[in-house]
Amino acid sequence: MNLQGRNFLKLLDYSSEEIRYLLDLSKDFKEKKKNNIKHNYLKGKNIVLLFEKTSTRTRCAFEVAGYDLGMGVTYLEPGSSQMGKKESIEDTARVLGRMYDGIEYRGFDQSIVETLGKYAKVPVWNGLTDEFHPTQMLADLLTIEENFGRLQNINFVFMGDARNNVANSLMVASSKMGMNFTCCAPKKLWPKKELIDTCLEIAKKTGSTLNFTEDVMEASKNADVIYTDVWVSMGEPDEVWQERINLLKPYQVNRQVFKQANPNAIFMHCLPSFHDLKTKIGQDIYQKFGLTEMEVTNEVFESNNSKVFDEAENRMHTIKAIMYATLKDNE
């Protein structure tokens, strides 16, 4: 499988076989990491991490993965780049592409990372946009496979705001890899019809099914995976909190929901999560809305069903696979 020189902007750009290759490569890198086997295969190369939205997991995963592979890593925090202010995205791409071997972007509109990918002439990787979160998806798929030994016919349920980048990407990932995807959300928060139609076409080839419902108890019945995300994404205005809470309160992942699922079902979340009052935002939410937990209860988050920290670790192994596959020299 040769992915050398490819961008990694959304899973729609990759075939099921290419995703399978990246997952197998991730497992190999994870095994090497666990056994302290050196794998600095990209020594001498340099990458830049271009962040317009901050993140603990994405930054650390890319940095450690880059260092493990032997690369030099530059982190440009929000405000450190002139992209879009004094310099166009196209010009930024052409400058960075002459200095670095690969570029990661985490920020806002999908068109920004697509433009970077078009003009950089080196691989560009999407660390998150408002529309898609493909590096998270590989970590999620690896976590599911580690727990069940397969992806085909896994009953996967997403609860919450199903229009966001994570839900969009999970629907794509499920359809690509033959999982049975259920979107459980208020109808006004379902994914866009265009993306649903695209995934339905993919699902015809892979044997995946896609279901959409507002019924929490029906959706969680016989689930293998129940996944949720924060109800308000980074960058959204504070005014949307009350409306979103009113809409999504019935879709909280709690013990009652989990009783509907299969006995060995797992809980997943891309993090950060509002499951207690140990954060400033959690405290603010409690003061304003009286909620001690939001999208998931602390009971479920801290349960044996929860695989959120395996999932977080797997960001590093899967990102390593993406960078290696797209940057390695042709043999």
Side-chain angles (χ1 to χ4, degrees), residues 162-295:
R163 301 167 312 170
N164 74 10
N165 49 14
V166 170
N168 284 344
S169 300
L170 286 167
M171 184 168 67
V172 173
S174 296
S175 62
K176 288 273 185 181
M177 304 311 290
M179 297 195 297
N180 301 319
F181 178 82
T182 296
C183 160
C184 183
K187 197 165 187 177
K188 68 184 291 185
L189 298 183
W190 289 2
K192 291 179 180 176
K193 184 179 182 302
E194 182 183 4
L195 184 60
I196 291 174
D197 290 344
T198 298
C199 289
L200 284 170
E201 284 302 309
I202 296 168
K204 288 177 184 176
K205 300 171 187 172
T206 63
S208 172
T209 62
L210 274 63
N211 301 293
F212 301 86
T213 182
E214 295 182 292
D215 188 329
V216 172
M217 291 299 111
E218 183 62 31
S220 53
K221 196 181 295 181
N222 299 320
D224 295 311
V225 181
I226 298 180
Y227 195 122
T228 192
D229 192 9
V230 291
W231 290 346
V232 179
S233 299
M234 188 189 302
E236 291 190 280
D238 291 345
E239 308 87 78
V240 306
W241 276 105
Q242 187 66 69
E243 179 196 4
R244 206 68 60 77
I245 287 168
N246 292 342
L247 270 173
L248 292 174
K249 236 179 180 178
Y251 298 88
Q252 182 190 69
V253 179
N254 51 41
R255 182 51 58 189
Q256 186 182 6
V257 169
F258 244 88
K259 282 180 180 176
Q260 297 287 106
N262 287 329
N264 61 340
I266 63 173
F267 170 72
M268 297 179 69
H269 192 306
C270 59
L271 302 181
S273 166
F274 299 135
H275 60 96
D276 56 26
L277 298 179
K278 295 178 181 177
T279 63
K280 184 179 183 305
I281 293 178
Q283 287 285 348
D284 289 346
I285 290 165
Y286 175 68
Q287 295 298 328
K288 291 175 184 174
F289 308 109
L291 296 176
T292 58
E293 307 160 306
M294 288 192 66
E295 71 276 6

Side-chain angles (χ1 to χ4, degrees), residues 81-88 91:
S81 164
Q82 295 299 331
M83 186 179 75
K85 298 188 282 285
K86 291 183 178 178
E87 190 165 51
S88 70
D91 289 356

Side-chain angles (χ1 to χ4, degrees), residues 295-312:
E295 71 276 6
V296 59
T297 61
N298 196 56
E299 180 186 18
V300 170
F301 187 90
E302 297 290 356
S303 71
N304 290 332
N305 304 96
S306 180
K307 304 300 175 184
V308 296
F309 298 110
D310 293 343
E311 191 182 353

Side-chain angles (χ1 to χ4, degrees), residues 68-95:
D68 280 357
L69 288 168
M71 295 192 288
V73 181
T74 301
Y75 172 70
L76 293 179
E77 63 187 354
S80 292
S81 164
Q82 295 299 331
M83 186 179 75
K85 298 188 282 285
K86 291 183 178 178
E87 190 165 51
S88 70
I89 297 160
E90 292 88 343
D91 289 356
T92 300
R94 289 181 283 198
V95 168

